Amino acid sequence: MKASLIAFVLCLCLLSCKNTKTEGIILEAYSPDKNIKVDFNVDTEGKPFYVVSYKNEIIVDTSYLGMEFTNANALKSGLVIEEANIQTFKDDWEMPWGEKLKVENQGTSLKIRLKENDSIEAQRKLEITFKIYNDGVGFRYHFPEQNNWTEALIKDEHTEFNLTEDYKTFWIPGDWDIYEHLYSTTKLSEIDAKSYIPKTNLAQTYIPENAVNTPVTMVGMNGLHLSFHEAALVDYSGMTLKVDTMNLNLKSNLVGSENTAYKVKRSLPFSTPWRTIQIADNAPDLIESDLIVNLNEPNKLGDVSWFTPMKYTGVWWEMHLGKSSWDYGMEMVDGKWTDTGKAHGKHGATTENVKNFIDFSARNNIKGVLVEGWNTGWERWIGFEDREGVFDFVTPYPDYDLDEVTSYAKAKGVEIIMHHETSAATQTYEKQQDTAYALMQQYGMHAVKSGYVGKIIPKGEYHHGQYMVNQYNNAAIKAAEYEVAVNAHEPIKATGLRRTYPNIISREGLRGQEFNAWAGDGGNPPEHLPIVAFTRMLAGPIDFTPGIFNIKFDEYRKDNQVNTTLAQQLALYVVIYSPVQMAADLVKHYEANPEPLQFIKDVGVDWEESKVLNGEVGDYVTIARKERGTGNWFVGGITDENSRTFEINFDFLETDVTYEAKIYKDGDNAHWNNNPLDISIEKIDLNSTSKLNIDLAEGGGFAISLIKR
Ligand code: NOJ
Ligand code: CA
């Protein structure tokens, strides 16, 4: 792997720079294309700072770096540069599954070793490494092994991003417990995260500061696009960014715990996650950026061919619609869930219902079936303080025959996707994991959807603090031992760890489709996904669960609907990336609409290449993806509440090949609210010289399958 490393080491002995004035930047390093420059120095008080320029303009001005501890003096001033080196690296790699096969990983690293100048404590050392790519910058702190300092209790990290423009910003509040908020679009100077508090009605939420969660994306007057996030979040707290609206400054604010004065506890040596800045001239390039995955370590699991990307159906949407329920109607008797004859008859996960999904999936080129509500405990899953011990993840309800269902599925070439709702009772889940994953292995199940609804138990912990980061990561590492891939809901944010642990296949971590079924505010507005594509999706795969055909579902809930057209629901299979992609609606709604269903049947889930054909943050986006194995292409485009016409150029297709194109687009009278089901489907031949004008309705979209002739 290191064979490709270009050895270019510049060892600078910079002891002489002690007490350098802030003028006179000492260290600088460039991206391979020279567009991005990072400068680093310590000021006259020994405070480390960095500056980022893009195409000769400063975009992150003098921004200080430092750490504060509960068990030691802060490390943010009185530092000198002891040593620095600059290297270029080229370390390309392949995704086992993903948006693309080959990932280019090329950049320049600038590593600085800082030392305390004159401290009463032993002179402590701190390293800061920048990696500068053509698509952005990542940097992190490293605490090397050192005498007299073995444990860091981090009170807070003081990382700044001092911005130079009042950007148009797409943000959600820095909630310590959930990311399921609608995005706001405001100027940076107008961010008001606390304005979310009164309108938030979630099972858990805590917004302590005027801070935002990441990725947070910004667009400048001259078209500069920035997105701030983090990579490789391991054994550390999630970072929110506190907003100084006066000075246009973002400052790290780590998620804490009510149980400790510190926010992170680590033994030395250790590294923090990477703090990342994606930099692009346009919105599509943000999506094409590989910065976040590149900053993670290579695959530690080795062969992961036991998991294959798949589309799936399942017992899910019907519960969110209120048609059926997760629980069966059991009672706890002498500490055991017991069928006391009070079954209410609405239980969704029955053997018969699941067989129906298996049959439908087998007929329609869909490999998985998710079954939620199959195990005992759902009578007490939310709304109770004492949620430990409620679920055991191995005991099915009486009307669900696990043996029968799994062997039936197997005979039809379908795989059951396991569901583990933990209700955030972390100790029960931790204790049960081996047993639960072993059961899956016994039944040949290779994917689990997990859930963490509710306030974390133990009390005082938050979903995004160090305690939970470790819970999520350790669950995935343990699951891998049993050849199980994990799709967590109410998760910690994605930070590219899927490169290191490819079995972290997907996650929620945003307002998903479920909000359209029941949210009191009317669900996700049409602009939601054109924002998500350039914010949340930059972090990694999303289990959004698209494909609702019965968009108004008045027979279930009169006051709710999906706020897109049917054509947009199809487009989402291409626009949103995930190696598990749900066809979320009920079987009968698909069977009533075989023509649009054909797209879900045909569409790929694993890509050799992805190209973002157009896009503006919050307005629209079109993505083309080439399926691995077949070389067929699929295109999806979506718009917000505005109708638009796109000219699509098919020059990404292989030359001299004719493709049979099936185009699913909004009908002439389509509109997300007034006429969402109006869809037009046509078949034509296309090749790499073709161009097409496609009209998208308000809240609409289009999907195209391009099958090689
Ligand atoms: C919340 C998840 O996001 C949803 O998909 C799931 O159905 C429920 N929790 C129950 O686990
Ligand atoms: Ca959720």
Side-chain angles (χ1 to χ4, degrees), residues 440-684:
M440 290 181 60
Q441 200 170 34
Q442 176 197 330
Y443 282 107
M445 300 182 193
H446 291 289
V448 64
K449 168 177 171 181
S450 56
Y452 294 81
V453 173
K455 285 197 84 57
I456 299 294
I457 315 177
K459 264 193 177 162
E461 300 299 341
Y462 294 101
H463 278 71
H464 310 154
Q466 184 184 16
Y467 173 83
M468 283 308 293
V469 166
N470 288 338
Q471 284 286 322
Y472 294 114
N473 292 351
N474 292 341
I477 292 167
K478 163 122 321 164
E481 289 171 26
Y482 295 87
E483 302 196 335
V484 166
V486 180
N487 164 21
H489 279 226
E490 299 77 50
I492 187 64
K493 58 180 132 179
T495 58
L497 259 191
R498 64 181 164 133
R499 178 176 178 199
T500 315
Y501 303 104
N503 73 317
I504 303 178
I505 44 174
S506 195
R507 79 188 73 211
E508 189 188 42
L510 84 167
R511 254 178 82 124
Q513 184 85 283
E514 64 191 25
F515 278 78
N516 293 325
W518 40 253
D521 59 11
N524 304 330
E527 69 163 15
H528 183 56
L529 290 169
I531 299 178
V532 162
F534 299 99
T535 49
R536 161 68 182 84
M537 202 167 85
L538 304 185
I542 306 176
D543 186 36
F544 185 77
T545 63
I548 300 303
F549 280 17
N550 179 14
I551 285 192
K552 293 264 184 187
F553 51 80
D554 283 342
E555 59 276 46
Y556 303 110
R557 290 189 197 275
K558 274 219 153 4
D559 297 334
N560 291 87
Q561 71 163 79
V562 173
N563 301 318
T564 74
T565 64
L566 174 55
Q568 181 176 123
Q569 287 296 304
L570 297 180
L572 297 179
Y573 288 90
V574 189
V575 169
I576 296 174
Y577 170 67
S578 173
V580 280
Q581 197 70 284
M582 190 173 201
D585 211 341
L586 314 185
V587 166
K588 63 177 180 184
H589 297 149
Y590 288 131
E591 284 181 335
N593 294 284
E595 289 187 3
L597 176 63
Q598 187 63 41
F599 184 77
I600 298 182
K601 204 168 166 176
D602 293 338
V603 69
V605 268
D606 192 17
W607 313 106
E608 194 177 320
E609 226 183 298
S610 293
K611 285 188 188 300
V612 184
L613 304 184
N614 63 28
E616 287 295 346
V617 187
D619 297 337
Y620 61 90
V621 61
T622 302
I623 303 183
R625 303 194 194 265
K626 182 182 185 185
E627 189 181 24
R628 287 195 198 182
T630 64
N632 295 330
W633 282 85
F634 296 86
V635 186
I638 63 172
T639 177
D640 60 4
E641 67 285 358
N642 298 307
S643 60
R644 301 172 197 277
T645 301
F646 291 156
E647 190 192 48
I648 304 296
N649 187 335
F650 291 86
D651 58 1
F652 53 85
L653 295 175
E654 255 177 69
T655 46
D656 303 326
V657 176
T658 302
Y659 293 80
E660 182 186 283
K662 209 156 180 203
I663 303 164
Y664 304 75
K665 60 181 185 183
D666 294 322
D668 291 343
N669 299 313
H671 181 283
W672 64 272
N673 190 25
N674 304 333
N675 200 1
L677 301 183
D678 185 10
I679 192 166
S680 126
I681 303 174
E682 61 175 306
K683 223 191 247 178
I684 53 170

Side-chain angles (χ1 to χ4, degrees), residues 316 320 326 372 378 381 419 421 449 453 489-490 508 514:
W316 179 74
H320 287 273
W326 284 272
E372 290 201 8
W378 286 90
W381 80 287
H419 185 234
E421 174 55 63
K449 168 177 171 181
V453 173
H489 279 226
E490 299 77 50
E508 189 188 42
E514 64 191 25

Side-chain angles (χ1 to χ4, degrees), residues 143-201:
F143 293 76
E145 200 171 344
Q146 44 201 293
N147 294 333
N148 302 327
W149 196 22
T150 53
E151 187 176 68
L153 301 180
I154 300 176
K155 192 168 166 204
D156 226 323
E157 179 185 318
H158 296 285
T159 299
E160 292 181 356
F161 303 90
N162 192 7
L163 304 178
T164 52
E165 188 182 329
D166 194 5
Y167 290 101
K168 182 175 180 185
T169 306
F170 299 83
W171 59 275
I172 50 170
D175 196 319
W176 287 13
D177 243 346
I178 200 157
Y179 307 107
E180 296 177 20
H181 292 284
L182 286 177
Y183 282 83
S184 285
T185 307
T186 67
K187 284 185 172 174
L188 178 55
S189 62
E190 286 165 358
I191 290 177
D192 180 7
K194 290 200 169 183
S195 66
Y196 276 70
I197 298 173
K199 50 184 185 195
T200 295
N201 178 21

